[in-house]
Amino acid sequence: MKTRFRFLAILAAATLAAGCSLMGPSPKPAPMADASTAATLVLYRVHLGDPGDDFTNHNVYLDGASVGRLNANEELLLKVAPGVHELSVRPETKLIGSARQEPLKYSLQLTPGSTRHLRYRTAAGPARMDAATGAVYADRELGPVSEQDYANRR
């Protein structure tokens, strides 16, 4: 029994040291866009409420390829090939990479040289309610914003 446990521990350590994951295949890299025709995609995250949820990565995928991670009040600037794309943000538990919630998906069509701004908003606790209007925000929301809204985000 001890030998079997040691063997499994060595196998797990060797797998992790080799860069492989026990949780499944790693995401494929995002394709590169031609700089002369690329569209610009700006994705930023706003968090409403207590930033105490330190155990979640908000991973961003474009057409199923990993393109980065969004922490509170950060942004990603992506150069993307024109055409129809699917952007998704999936909250995952840090360290083990297991999904905490279903990914939010957004389909977008980009034209050459265009710029699109998207906001990923997360809300927690009492900050989910707007004090002025009484509106209740969803836990997570992904959607387009105007260039002016993007400029006034802070």
Side-chain angles (χ1 to χ4, degrees), residues 78-102:
L78 305 171
K79 294 293 185 179
V80 182
V84 177
H85 299 280
E86 182 179 86
L87 182 79
S88 64
V89 181
R90 183 173 65 193
E92 296 177 356
T93 304
K94 286 184 180 179
L95 301 177
I96 59 174
S98 62
R100 291 190 64 183
Q101 296 172 318
E102 289 296 315

Side-chain angles (χ1 to χ4, degrees), residues 1-87:
M1 187 72 161
K2 258 185 170 179
T3 306
R4 184 182 300 169
F5 177 75
R6 283 185 186 163
F7 175 73
L8 290 175
I10 291 170
L11 179 64
T15 303
L16 289 175
C20 300
S21 171
L22 296 175
M23 301 301 168
S26 59
K28 60 186 174 184
M32 299 299 288
D34 179 16
S36 64
T37 61
T40 303
L41 179 62
V42 181
L43 174 65
Y44 70 98
R45 179 175 170 210
V46 174
H47 181 72
L48 306 175
D50 182 21
D53 188 7
D54 294 332
F55 300 106
T56 304
N57 286 327
H58 295 267
N59 296 317
V60 180
Y61 299 87
L62 182 67
D63 299 330
S66 177
V67 293
R69 178 181 308 149
L70 276 178
N71 293 318
N73 302 316
E74 289 185 348
E75 67 180 45
L76 282 175
L77 177 71
L78 305 171
K79 294 293 185 179
V80 182
V84 177
H85 299 280
E86 182 179 86
L87 182 79

Side-chain angles (χ1 to χ4, degrees), residues 89-119:
V89 181
R90 183 173 65 193
E92 296 177 356
T93 304
K94 286 184 180 179
L95 301 177
I96 59 174
S98 62
R100 291 190 64 183
Q101 296 172 318
E102 289 296 315
L104 286 181
K105 296 180 181 178
Y106 187 81
S107 183
L108 60 149
Q109 182 168 2
L110 301 171
T111 57
S114 65
T115 299
R116 294 282 300 270
H117 298 90
L118 294 173
R119 177 182 58 208

